[in-house]
């Protein structure tokens, strides 16, 4: 039943026409199409015209044949048990008459081309007349091959492309076979589009579709070619999808920083949209690939987000950071976005010598300039120049000119050699350039600008060292000797050059004529030395003793700090130094040793509080001080300051000691006696000062008679007292003058006493006046035998004598006695036992060379 219904539904395209073959029969004609290889349904209406009638037999004929090819016989049996017969030579089992359909129909399976023709159905009824139906069966052959080709003629299937955006799309659809000829059509996205149809022969149909300048919206569009020659079956078709290569639509850097700080990390993002396939994102700085940052990508087929993380450097300032989006298959159609980097950083400073200067050929007198190249953001607000770390200031009169980024040194000197730097500052910080060394070449000059005095004995070998400064340091030397009678060059064999800028001359004075002036001249590639190095060769001797020594309290110090100030004598032609030695007057143990290089007025400062702790035996501390000068030839005669004592000021007022009336009476008696002696001494000194002369000279200092006093136990010695007040302390120093008889008698011309020799070539600053009556230079040198006796051993205590204190034949050293405080009896075993003073803050100086030195 199901098969009959299907076959009845398939039948279509029936056109009915009433044929009258003759006057007795009426034939109804229809047309039926069948697809090759499929089923055909030939309709035949068997419904009786009246209700009481029924069908007896149905017969099928083909064309004009009179013999049936199929029968349906209901005679004498129920309708559902009718007999079916099919001619095995025509249809055989392929044919079956279906009665359930309306109308009934002969179904033919597996239609072939031979089945095509006219079929006639004859229906016989029991009572009503016979019916005849004519069916024209047409067999349709569908197309058997459908092919698609692209622009280049390649067979395509599934996808066409990818094509560049904007290019033309050409699709060709070829359909082979089919009867009748099929209809070939193109559909874009299921919408019919018109193409160019062309028939080639009886079996080939072609439809060519052209799409001009495909656009972005054509991406993934479907193009379908359809071929059909019947409605009994689905048309033949092929569909392809269009693939396009799309250029990036946009490249955007969403956030562009206005300012970036050098060496801080920043992340910059770039969004690329619209590219197909996925865009390739790259970063450039000033059109060069930016490789310093760390790049990270994310996104999908349509949007790509690229992030670059980097720390800008000063070199990035002012450059352009660019993001480029490229379709890898469409070179030359990239999109980009960029921004200018504004990187702030401390100044970058590079200093160099002027480009027109040769750093290896700069000499004194040339003009030199430096250029300071500065890169800074923000712009520098200060530029400072330094020479060897010292600030360089503009001084046009000295030839130092500073412009914006240049330093000009006019008429450069050798003192301007060294390291030059420039400093630039902006709000981000300060930066100093790498030093640039300026080398100024110059002719030789003496290292020591002062004349050098060299003391030498006869036949003493001297090594005179001439050290010059020069650039280049390869120096040749010339030595000359000058004295009052001759001048000549020294033979080169006498001297040697050790380093290049040092020459050493071995010189031995053999006679008095060999004392004079040696000059050393240097010469290098720049020129000859302008001023020579001068060496004064003088006879050498030990230095003269110190004179005019005074004792005083130090200013701005406590009363326990004393100063000993002396006047230096002749240095003996050699550098001298001054030495003070302080000994404990009781134990003769060395307490202090001081030296002083001051050649004019040596001063020694003594802190008596630290140096003289209490002795513990009830006696005040006491010092014996020795001062002398020393050079390489030996020591001068020693000058002795004897018995300097210090008593604690509080011992007088603490009430711990008891005093009897006898000592007080003795003290008053002594005071009256002292006053009388002082008055007498003033009168005697006033008379003697008018007539006293020492060696044809006068005494250099005189004492004020109003200050003179008589010391107990020294009635035979005239003297004076000097009072010093410091804070709560009071010092009185009594100077005891040596009588005129104690002064050394001025030797006569025939005297055998040795004199201190005058020096022909005295040091600078010395008195060059020669006293009348002195012998000529031949007599100025110490005999060779005396040179061996010029060394002196340290003083041996207590065997000091006043003859040792002032042994120079030209110096008359006065004896000085100084007292301060109350009298107190001294031990019997101590010299000068006649002294007995007991006062507050007691200082006693029994022998101080005072201002009465006679020259």
């Amino acid at each position: 039943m199901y098969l009959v219904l299907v076959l009845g539904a398939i039948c279509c395209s029936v056109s009915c026409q009433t044929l009258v073959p003759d006057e007795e029969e009426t034939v109804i004609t229809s047309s039926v199409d069948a697809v090759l290889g499929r089923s055909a349904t030939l309709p035949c209406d068997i419904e009786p015209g009246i209700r009481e009638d029924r069908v007896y037999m149905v017969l099928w004929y083909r064309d004009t044949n009179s013999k049936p090819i199929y029968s349906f016989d209901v005679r004498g049996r129920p309708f559902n048990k009718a007999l079916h017969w099919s001619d095995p030579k025509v249809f055989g089992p392929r044919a079956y008459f279906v009665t359930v359909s309306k109308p009934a129909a002969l179904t033919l399976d597996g239609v072939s081309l031979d089945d095509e023709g006219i079929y006639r159905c004859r229906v016989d009824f029991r009572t009503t007349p016979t019916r005849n139906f004519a069916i024209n069966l047409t067999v349709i052959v569908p197309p058997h091959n459908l092919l698609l080709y692209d622009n280049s003629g390649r067979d395509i299937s599934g996808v066409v492309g990818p094509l560049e955006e904007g290019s033309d799309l050409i699709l060709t659809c070829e359909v082979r076979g089919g009867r009748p000829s099929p209809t070939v059509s193109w559909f874009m996205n299921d919408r019919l589009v018109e193409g160019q149809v062309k028939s080639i022969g009886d079996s080939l149909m072609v439809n060519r579709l052209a799409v001009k300048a495909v656009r972005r919206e054509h991406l993934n569009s479907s193009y379908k070619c359809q071929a059909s020659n019947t409605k009994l079956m689905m048309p033949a078709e092929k569909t392809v999808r269009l693939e396009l290569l799309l250029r990036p639509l946009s490249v955007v850097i969403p956030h562009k920083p206005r300012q970036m700080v050098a060496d801080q990390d920043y992340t910059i993002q770039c969004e690329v949209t619209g590219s197909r396939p996925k865009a390739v994102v790259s970063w450039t700085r000033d059109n060069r690939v930016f490789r310093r940052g760390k790049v990270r990508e994310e996104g999908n087929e349509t949007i790509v987000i690229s992030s670059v993380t980097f720390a800008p450097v000063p070199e990035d300032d002012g450059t352009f950071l660019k993001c480029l989006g490229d379709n890898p298959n469409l070179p030359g159609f990239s999109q980009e976005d960029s921004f200018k980097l504004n990187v702030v950083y401390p100044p970058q400073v590079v200093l160099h010598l002027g480009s027109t200067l040769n750093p290896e050929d700069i000499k004194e007198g040339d003009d030199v300039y430096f250029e300071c190249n500065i890169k800074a953001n923000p712009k520098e607000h200060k530029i400072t120049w330094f020479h060897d770390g010292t600030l360089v200031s503009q001084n046009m009169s000295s030839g130092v000119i500073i412009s914006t980024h240049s330093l000009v040194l006019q008429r450069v000197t050798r003192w301007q050699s060294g390291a030059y730097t420039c400093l630039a500052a902006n709000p981000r910080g300060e930066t100093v350039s790498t030093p640039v060394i300026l080398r100024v070449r110059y002719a030789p000059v003496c290292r020591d600008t002062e004349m050098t005095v060299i003391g030498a004995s006869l036949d003493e070998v001297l090594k005179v060292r001439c050290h010059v400064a020069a650039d280049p340091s390869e120096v040749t030397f010339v030595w000359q000797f000058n004295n009052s009678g001759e001048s000549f060059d020294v033979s080169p064999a006498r001297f040697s050059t050790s380093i290049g800028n040092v020459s050493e001359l071995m010189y031995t004075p053999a006679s008095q004529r060999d004392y004079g002036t040696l000059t050393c001249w240097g010469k290098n590639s720049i020129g000859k030395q302008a001023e020579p190095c001068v060496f004064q060769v003088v006879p050498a001797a030990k230095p003269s003793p110190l004179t005019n020594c005074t004792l005083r309290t130090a200013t701005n110090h406590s009363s326990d700090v004393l100063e000993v100030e002396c006047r230096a004598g002749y240095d003996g032609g050699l550098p001298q130094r001054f030495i003070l030695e302080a000994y404990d007057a009781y134990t003769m143990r060395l307490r202090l040793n001081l030296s002083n290089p001051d050649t004019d007025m040596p001063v020694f400062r003594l802190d008596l509080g630290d140096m003289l702790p209490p002795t513990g035996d009830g006696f005040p501390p006491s010092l014996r001080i020795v001062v002398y000068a020393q050079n390489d030839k030996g020591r001068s005669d020693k000058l002795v300051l004897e018995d300097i004592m210090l008593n604690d000021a509080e011992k007088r007022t603490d009430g711990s000691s008891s005093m009897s009336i006898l000592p007080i009476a003795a003290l008053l008696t002594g005071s009256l006696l002292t006053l009388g002696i002082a008055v007498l001494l003033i009168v005697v000194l006033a008379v003697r000062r008018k007539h006293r002369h020492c060696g044809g000279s006068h005494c250099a200092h005189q004492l004020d008679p109003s200050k003179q006093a008589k010391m107990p136990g020294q009635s035979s010695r005239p003297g004076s007292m000097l009072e010093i007040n410091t804070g709560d302390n009071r010092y009185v120093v009594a100077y005891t003058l040596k009588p005129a008889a104690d002064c050394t008698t001025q030797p006569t011309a025939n005297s055998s006493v040795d004199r201190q020799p005058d020096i022909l070539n005295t040091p600078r600053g010395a008195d060059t006046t020669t006293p009348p009556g002195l012998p000529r230079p031949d007599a100025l040198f110490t005999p060779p035998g005396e040179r061996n006796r010029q060394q002196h051993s340290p003083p041996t205590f207590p065997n000091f004598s006043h003859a040792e204190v002032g042994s120079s034949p030209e110096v008359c050293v006065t004896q000085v006695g100084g007292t301060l405080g109350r009298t107190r009896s001294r031990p019997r075993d101590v010299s000068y036992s006649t002294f007995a003073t007991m006062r507050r803050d007691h200082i006693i100086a029994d022998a101080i060379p005072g201002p009465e030195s006679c020259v």
Side-chain angles (χ1 to χ4, degrees), residues 416-434:
Q416 292 172 301
S417 297
Y420 285 83
T421 56
C422 66
L423 177 147
N426 72 351
R428 299 299 305 174
E430 294 183 350
T431 305
V432 180
S433 68
T434 301

PDB file of all heavy atoms in Angstrom, residues 416-434:
ATOM      1  N   GLN A 416      98.761  75.323  34.096  1.00  0.00           N
ATOM      2  CA  GLN A 416      97.404  74.970  33.704  1.00  0.00           C
ATOM      3  C   GLN A 416      97.305  73.551  33.154  1.00  0.00           C
ATOM      4  O   GLN A 416      96.243  73.152  32.683  1.00  0.00           O
ATOM      5  CB  GLN A 416      96.885  75.983  32.669  1.00  0.00           C
ATOM      6  CG  GLN A 416      96.676  77.364  33.274  1.00  0.00           C
ATOM      7  CD  GLN A 416      96.359  78.423  32.230  1.00  0.00           C
ATOM      8  OE1 GLN A 416      97.151  78.645  31.317  1.00  0.00           O
ATOM      9  NE2 GLN A 416      95.213  79.053  32.359  1.00  0.00           N
ATOM     10  N   SER A 417      98.403  72.828  33.201  1.00  0.00           N
ATOM     11  CA  SER A 417      98.327  71.405  32.859  1.00  0.00           C
ATOM     12  C   SER A 417      97.514  70.674  33.919  1.00  0.00           C
ATOM     13  O   SER A 417      97.395  71.116  35.058  1.00  0.00           O
ATOM     14  CB  SER A 417      99.733  70.802  32.776  1.00  0.00           C
ATOM     15  OG  SER A 417     100.492  71.402  31.758  1.00  0.00           O
ATOM     16  N   GLY A 418      96.951  69.547  33.537  1.00  0.00           N
ATOM     17  CA  GLY A 418      96.208  68.739  34.493  1.00  0.00           C
ATOM     18  C   GLY A 418      94.900  68.245  33.934  1.00  0.00           C
ATOM     19  O   GLY A 418      94.662  68.267  32.717  1.00  0.00           O
ATOM     20  N   ALA A 419      94.039  67.797  34.825  1.00  0.00           N
ATOM     21  CA  ALA A 419      92.756  67.184  34.446  1.00  0.00           C
ATOM     22  C   ALA A 419      91.668  68.250  34.487  1.00  0.00           C
ATOM     23  O   ALA A 419      91.482  68.927  35.500  1.00  0.00           O
ATOM     24  CB  ALA A 419      92.419  66.033  35.386  1.00  0.00           C
ATOM     25  N   TYR A 420      90.930  68.362  33.397  1.00  0.00           N
ATOM     26  CA  TYR A 420      89.817  69.294  33.290  1.00  0.00           C
ATOM     27  C   TYR A 420      88.514  68.502  33.197  1.00  0.00           C
ATOM     28  O   TYR A 420      88.442  67.491  32.493  1.00  0.00           O
ATOM     29  CB  TYR A 420      89.963  70.207  32.075  1.00  0.00           C
ATOM     30  CG  TYR A 420      91.008  71.290  32.257  1.00  0.00           C
ATOM     31  CD1 TYR A 420      92.351  71.029  32.042  1.00  0.00           C
ATOM     32  CD2 TYR A 420      90.639  72.565  32.663  1.00  0.00           C
ATOM     33  CE1 TYR A 420      93.318  72.009  32.228  1.00  0.00           C
ATOM     34  CE2 TYR A 420      91.586  73.561  32.846  1.00  0.00           C
ATOM     35  CZ  TYR A 420      92.930  73.289  32.625  1.00  0.00           C
ATOM     36  OH  TYR A 420      93.860  74.264  32.817  1.00  0.00           O
ATOM     37  N   THR A 421      87.517  68.975  33.903  1.00  0.00           N
ATOM     38  CA  THR A 421      86.189  68.366  33.849  1.00  0.00           C
ATOM     39  C   THR A 421      85.157  69.473  33.768  1.00  0.00           C
ATOM     40  O   THR A 421      85.407  70.613  34.179  1.00  0.00           O
ATOM     41  CB  THR A 421      85.911  67.505  35.096  1.00  0.00           C
ATOM     42  OG1 THR A 421      86.090  68.315  36.272  1.00  0.00           O
ATOM     43  CG2 THR A 421      86.818  66.297  35.157  1.00  0.00           C
ATOM     44  N   CYS A 422      84.016  69.126  33.212  1.00  0.00           N
ATOM     45  CA  CYS A 422      82.889  70.060  33.238  1.00  0.00           C
ATOM     46  C   CYS A 422      81.702  69.348  33.884  1.00  0.00           C
ATOM     47  O   CYS A 422      81.513  68.147  33.709  1.00  0.00           O
ATOM     48  CB  CYS A 422      82.533  70.587  31.853  1.00  0.00           C
ATOM     49  SG  CYS A 422      81.907  69.356  30.695  1.00  0.00           S
ATOM     50  N   LEU A 423      80.939  70.111  34.634  1.00  0.00           N
ATOM     51  CA  LEU A 423      79.781  69.593  35.374  1.00  0.00           C
ATOM     52  C   LEU A 423      78.534  70.282  34.848  1.00  0.00           C
ATOM     53  O   LEU A 423      78.512  71.504  34.686  1.00  0.00           O
ATOM     54  CB  LEU A 423      79.946  69.827  36.870  1.00  0.00           C
ATOM     55  CG  LEU A 423      78.791  69.402  37.792  1.00  0.00           C
ATOM     56  CD1 LEU A 423      79.351  68.933  39.129  1.00  0.00           C
ATOM     57  CD2 LEU A 423      77.804  70.541  38.040  1.00  0.00           C
ATOM     58  N   ALA A 424      77.532  69.494  34.561  1.00  0.00           N
ATOM     59  CA  ALA A 424      76.240  70.024  34.112  1.00  0.00           C
ATOM     60  C   ALA A 424      75.166  69.548  35.071  1.00  0.00           C
ATOM     61  O   ALA A 424      75.211  68.419  35.566  1.00  0.00           O
ATOM     62  CB  ALA A 424      75.932  69.583  32.684  1.00  0.00           C
ATOM     63  N   ALA A 425      74.182  70.414  35.317  1.00  0.00           N
ATOM     64  CA  ALA A 425      73.110  70.094  36.259  1.00  0.00           C
ATOM     65  C   ALA A 425      71.770  70.470  35.646  1.00  0.00           C
ATOM     66  O   ALA A 425      71.648  71.478  34.940  1.00  0.00           O
ATOM     67  CB  ALA A 425      73.316  70.836  37.582  1.00  0.00           C
ATOM     68  N   ASN A 426      70.797  69.614  35.884  1.00  0.00           N
ATOM     69  CA  ASN A 426      69.405  69.905  35.545  1.00  0.00           C
ATOM     70  C   ASN A 426      68.549  69.395  36.699  1.00  0.00           C
ATOM     71  O   ASN A 426      69.071  68.846  37.682  1.00  0.00           O
ATOM     72  CB  ASN A 426      69.030  69.298  34.188  1.00  0.00           C
ATOM     73  CG  ASN A 426      68.902  67.789  34.230  1.00  0.00           C
ATOM     74  OD1 ASN A 426      69.242  67.143  35.234  1.00  0.00           O
ATOM     75  ND2 ASN A 426      68.441  67.192  33.159  1.00  0.00           N
ATOM     76  N   PRO A 427      67.228  69.560  36.645  1.00  0.00           N
ATOM     77  CA  PRO A 427      66.407  69.095  37.779  1.00  0.00           C
ATOM     78  C   PRO A 427      66.541  67.613  38.091  1.00  0.00           C
ATOM     79  O   PRO A 427      66.188  67.186  39.189  1.00  0.00           O
ATOM     80  CB  PRO A 427      64.980  69.452  37.331  1.00  0.00           C
ATOM     81  CG  PRO A 427      65.151  70.611  36.413  1.00  0.00           C
ATOM     82  CD  PRO A 427      66.429  70.356  35.687  1.00  0.00           C
ATOM     83  N   ARG A 428      67.031  66.809  37.171  1.00  0.00           N
ATOM     84  CA  ARG A 428      67.173  65.377  37.425  1.00  0.00           C
ATOM     85  C   ARG A 428      68.478  65.028  38.136  1.00  0.00           C
ATOM     86  O   ARG A 428      68.635  63.925  38.624  1.00  0.00           O
ATOM     87  CB  ARG A 428      67.108  64.589  36.107  1.00  0.00           C
ATOM     88  CG  ARG A 428      65.808  64.738  35.350  1.00  0.00           C
ATOM     89  CD  ARG A 428      64.631  64.240  36.135  1.00  0.00           C
ATOM     90  NE  ARG A 428      64.802  62.864  36.574  1.00  0.00           N
ATOM     91  CZ  ARG A 428      63.976  62.222  37.372  1.00  0.00           C
ATOM     92  NH1 ARG A 428      62.915  62.862  37.851  1.00  0.00           N
ATOM     93  NH2 ARG A 428      64.183  60.984  37.710  1.00  0.00           N
ATOM     94  N   GLY A 429      69.461  65.953  38.190  1.00  0.00           N
ATOM     95  CA  GLY A 429      70.706  65.656  38.878  1.00  0.00           C
ATOM     96  C   GLY A 429      71.886  66.370  38.259  1.00  0.00           C
ATOM     97  O   GLY A 429      71.752  67.221  37.365  1.00  0.00           O
ATOM     98  N   GLU A 430      73.068  66.028  38.753  1.00  0.00           N
ATOM     99  CA  GLU A 430      74.317  66.603  38.275  1.00  0.00           C
ATOM    100  C   GLU A 430      75.214  65.488  37.748  1.00  0.00           C
ATOM    101  O   GLU A 430      75.224  64.384  38.283  1.00  0.00           O
ATOM    102  CB  GLU A 430      75.050  67.349  39.398  1.00  0.00           C
ATOM    103  CG  GLU A 430      74.327  68.575  39.902  1.00  0.00           C
ATOM    104  CD  GLU A 430      75.129  69.307  40.969  1.00  0.00           C
ATOM    105  OE1 GLU A 430      76.150  68.734  41.422  1.00  0.00           O
ATOM    106  OE2 GLU A 430      74.755  70.432  41.321  1.00  0.00           O
ATOM    107  N   THR A 431      75.974  65.806  36.696  1.00  0.00           N
ATOM    108  CA  THR A 431      76.873  64.827  36.094  1.00  0.00           C
ATOM    109  C   THR A 431      78.203  65.517  35.780  1.00  0.00           C
ATOM    110  O   THR A 431      78.211  66.630  35.250  1.00  0.00           O
ATOM    111  CB  THR A 431      76.286  64.236  34.807  1.00  0.00           C
ATOM    112  OG1 THR A 431      74.995  63.696  35.088  1.00  0.00           O
ATOM    113  CG2 THR A 431      77.178  63.130  34.262  1.00  0.00           C
ATOM    114  N   VAL A 432      79.296  64.828  36.128  1.00  0.00           N
ATOM    115  CA  VAL A 432      80.635  65.335  35.837  1.00  0.00           C
ATOM    116  C   VAL A 432      81.215  64.513  34.704  1.00  0.00           C
ATOM    117  O   VAL A 432      81.093  63.282  34.673  1.00  0.00           O
ATOM    118  CB  VAL A 432      81.536  65.258  37.090  1.00  0.00           C
ATOM    119  CG1 VAL A 432      82.929  65.783  36.783  1.00  0.00           C
ATOM    120  CG2 VAL A 432      80.919  66.038  38.233  1.00  0.00           C
ATOM    121  N   SER A 433      81.857  65.191  33.776  1.00  0.00           N
ATOM    122  CA  SER A 433      82.426  64.501  32.624  1.00  0.00           C
ATOM    123  C   SER A 433      83.654  63.697  33.038  1.00  0.00           C
ATOM    124  O   SER A 433      84.230  63.891  34.115  1.00  0.00           O
ATOM    125  CB  SER A 433      82.820  65.518  31.548  1.00  0.00           C
ATOM    126  OG  SER A 433      83.913  66.308  32.000  1.00  0.00           O
ATOM    127  N   THR A 434      84.048  62.808  32.168  1.00  0.00           N
ATOM    128  CA  THR A 434      85.320  62.105  32.340  1.00  0.00           C
ATOM    129  C   THR A 434      86.460  63.102  32.167  1.00  0.00           C
ATOM    130  O   THR A 434      86.422  63.937  31.256  1.00  0.00           O
ATOM    131  CB  THR A 434      85.446  60.982  31.308  1.00  0.00           C
ATOM    132  OG1 THR A 434      84.344  60.077  31.468  1.00  0.00           O
ATOM    133  CG2 THR A 434      86.758  60.235  31.479  1.00  0.00           C
TER     134      THR A 434
END
